[in-house]
């Protein structure tokens, strides 16, 4: 290339690219937007994702729909999202499990959780509860720990299988409380029927699946994560109040885009999510089952994921759990 053309041409090409990206972002979205959800249709997380998609549809003025890609602990859907074209028309619902936990459970994954996605916004968090059968002869954490010390075989903790959120939350509690838990894994069936019946005594989980039965008195809530008591369960102490200050697992959902998605589009999506999070009806839904609807900046969400991933990495390391 002619030296003069080189000096003039390269900046011009770069400028043209910036102008093209800016114009694209200004017109975005010009068609429907797909959100890949790495969980099955009809589940609690799916319902949350569809509620968010409906609010984003209102804000963006284009249809935002959920594409369920369940399987392999969320790996199938996460890989599909990581490989999608980074044009803003395929997004991804990331979760505690897929982006904070799974990367520590497998030595090889078909995606890089830290590099293959651009954070857009946190969508919401679900506080974790220590959920018990009413038959348990303990009504708070201190009484529970005393019972477990005096009768180690009297308390069994249900989980949704090795490496699941419920299992690793229980491991985290055990480390924090310096106690050994007896885990009962339910790999394919929900543990809640047995928890209601008193066949198992405890479970650590986000609260949507249990909130109705807790309010009805069919299950009891001994403690909840969070810096303050949750307004839906004002009589339930936090784990910090119960003497377990460093136990802080939360189940979260967040909106991400494939790495390489133009910043202007990411910023527009983040702003749209913050507007969607102002929906009073949706915010009340999240509060009703122990959660909180969120909306933040890409930088804030990136920092949140990094901190959460580090915490779960320490739990997985201590628990010595590997799934490959």
């Amino acid at each position: 290339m002619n030296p003069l053309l080189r000096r003039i041409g390269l900046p011009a090409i770069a400028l043209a690219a910036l102008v093209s990206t800016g114009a694209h972002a200004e017109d975005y979205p010009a068609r429907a937007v797909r959100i890949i959800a790495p969980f099955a249709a009809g589940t609690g997380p799916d319902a949350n994702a569809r509620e968010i998609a409906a609010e984003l549809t209102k804000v963006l003025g284009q249809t935002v729909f959920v594409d369920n890609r369940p399987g392999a602990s969320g790996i199938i859907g996460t890989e599909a999202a990581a490989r999608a074209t980074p044009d803003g028309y395929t997004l991804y619902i990331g979760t505690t499990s897929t982006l904070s936990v799974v990367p520590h459970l497998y030595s090889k994954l078909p995606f890089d959780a830290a590099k293959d996605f651009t954070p857009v916004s946190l969508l919401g968090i679900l506080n974790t509860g220590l959920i018990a059968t009413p038959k348990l002869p303990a009504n708070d954490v201190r009484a529970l720990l005393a019972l477990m010390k005096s009768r180690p075989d009297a308390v069994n903790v249900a989980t949704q299988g090795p490496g699941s959120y419920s299992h690793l939350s229980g491991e985290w509690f055990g480390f924090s409380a310096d106690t050994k838990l007896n885990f009962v894994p339910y790999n394919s069936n929900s543990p809640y029927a047995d928890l209601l019946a008193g066949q198992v005594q405890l479970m650590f989980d986000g609260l949507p699946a249990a909130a109705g039965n807790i309010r009805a008195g069919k299950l009891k809530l001994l403690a909840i994560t969070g810096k303050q008591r949750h307004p839906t369960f004002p009589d339930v102490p936090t784990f910090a109040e119960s003497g377990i200050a460093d136990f802080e697992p939360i189940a979260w959902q967040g909106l991400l885009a494939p790495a390489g998605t133009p910043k202007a589009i990411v910023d527009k999506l983040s702003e749209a999510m913050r507007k969607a999070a102002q929906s009073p009806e949706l915010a009340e839904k999240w509060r009703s089952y122990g959660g909180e609807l969120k909306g933040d900046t890409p930088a804030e969400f990136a920092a949140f994921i990094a901190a959460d991933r580090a915490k779960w990495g320490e739990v997985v390391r201590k628990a010595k759990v590997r799934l490959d």
Side-chain angles (χ1 to χ4, degrees):
M1 178 185 290
N2 181 287
L4 179 59
L5 290 177
R6 183 184 295 115
R7 288 196 299 271
I8 298 175
L10 290 180
I13 292 171
L15 179 61
L18 288 172
V19 170
S20 174
T21 300
H24 179 62
E26 186 178 336
D27 296 338
Y28 174 86
R31 52 186 170 85
V33 177
R34 173 179 65 148
I35 301 180
I36 293 179
F39 28 75
T43 60
D46 174 63
N48 297 146
R50 291 178 186 278
E51 291 166 353
I52 292 294
E55 291 299 324
L56 287 174
T57 294
K58 298 175 188 177
V59 175
L60 293 172
Q62 290 284 354
T63 299
V64 179
F65 67 95
V66 174
D67 178 8
N68 297 94
R69 300 288 187 93
S73 301
I75 294 173
I76 291 174
T78 305
E79 179 186 8
R83 295 185 176 184
T85 303
D87 58 4
Y89 289 96
T90 296
L91 306 175
Y92 167 68
I93 295 283
T95 68
T96 312
S97 294
T98 57
L99 295 183
S100 291
V101 176
V102 163
H104 300 293
L105 295 175
Y106 296 87
S107 57
K108 292 184 179 180
L109 287 170
F111 60 87
D112 186 320
K115 296 180 180 179
D116 288 348
F117 296 99
T118 297
V120 174
S121 174
L122 184 63
L123 302 183
I125 62 171
L126 298 170
N127 290 316
T128 298
L130 176 49
I131 305 160
T133 174
K135 298 179 180 180
L136 182 75
N139 292 317
D140 57 48
V141 171
R142 290 182 175 87
L144 171 67
L145 293 175
L147 174 65
M148 294 173 69
K149 185 176 181 179
S150 63
R151 298 170 56 196
D153 297 329
V155 180
N156 292 314
V157 182
T159 79
Q160 293 167 322
S164 64
Y165 183 85
S166 53
H167 170 221
L168 292 173
S169 292
E171 293 279 13
W172 191 340
F173 177 84
F175 300 142
S176 298
D178 192 24
T179 190
K180 179 74 174 176
L181 277 65
N182 301 317
F183 292 110
V184 179
Y186 289 71
N187 291 321
S188 56
N189 299 319
S190 170
Y192 277 102
D194 282 357
L195 187 63
L196 286 162
Q199 299 301 313
V200 288
Q201 288 70 46
L202 294 175
M203 186 172 178
F204 294 88
D205 200 9
L207 294 178
N213 283 318
I214 292 169
R215 284 192 286 266
K218 296 179 180 179
L219 292 171
K220 58 185 180 181
L221 186 59
L222 305 189
I224 190 171
T225 55
K227 299 185 184 307
Q228 300 175 339
R229 294 193 182 194
H230 195 278
T232 302
F233 305 98
D235 297 329
V236 178
T238 65
F239 282 97
E241 288 179 279
S242 306
I244 316 292
D246 60 347
F247 179 71
E248 49 186 3
I250 54 171
W252 56 265
Q253 288 188 358
L255 188 66
L256 301 98
T261 300
K263 182 180 183 301
I265 290 178
V266 171
D267 290 342
K268 189 169 187 176
L269 286 166
S270 179
E271 182 181 358
M273 184 55 227
R274 292 196 293 277
K275 290 181 180 178
Q278 295 173 10
S279 163
E281 295 81 12
L282 190 52
E284 178 53 35
K285 276 188 178 182
W286 279 74
R287 277 193 298 270
S288 71
Y289 41 65
E292 183 180 359
L293 191 63
K294 295 281 189 177
D296 58 11
T297 67
E300 289 169 335
F301 186 30
F304 173 89
I305 297 173
D308 194 60
R309 186 180 296 134
K311 291 176 184 177
W312 285 105
E314 183 66 11
V315 172
V316 172
R317 184 188 66 78
K318 286 185 176 179
K320 299 179 181 178
V321 179
R322 300 292 291 183
L323 298 185
D324 57 6

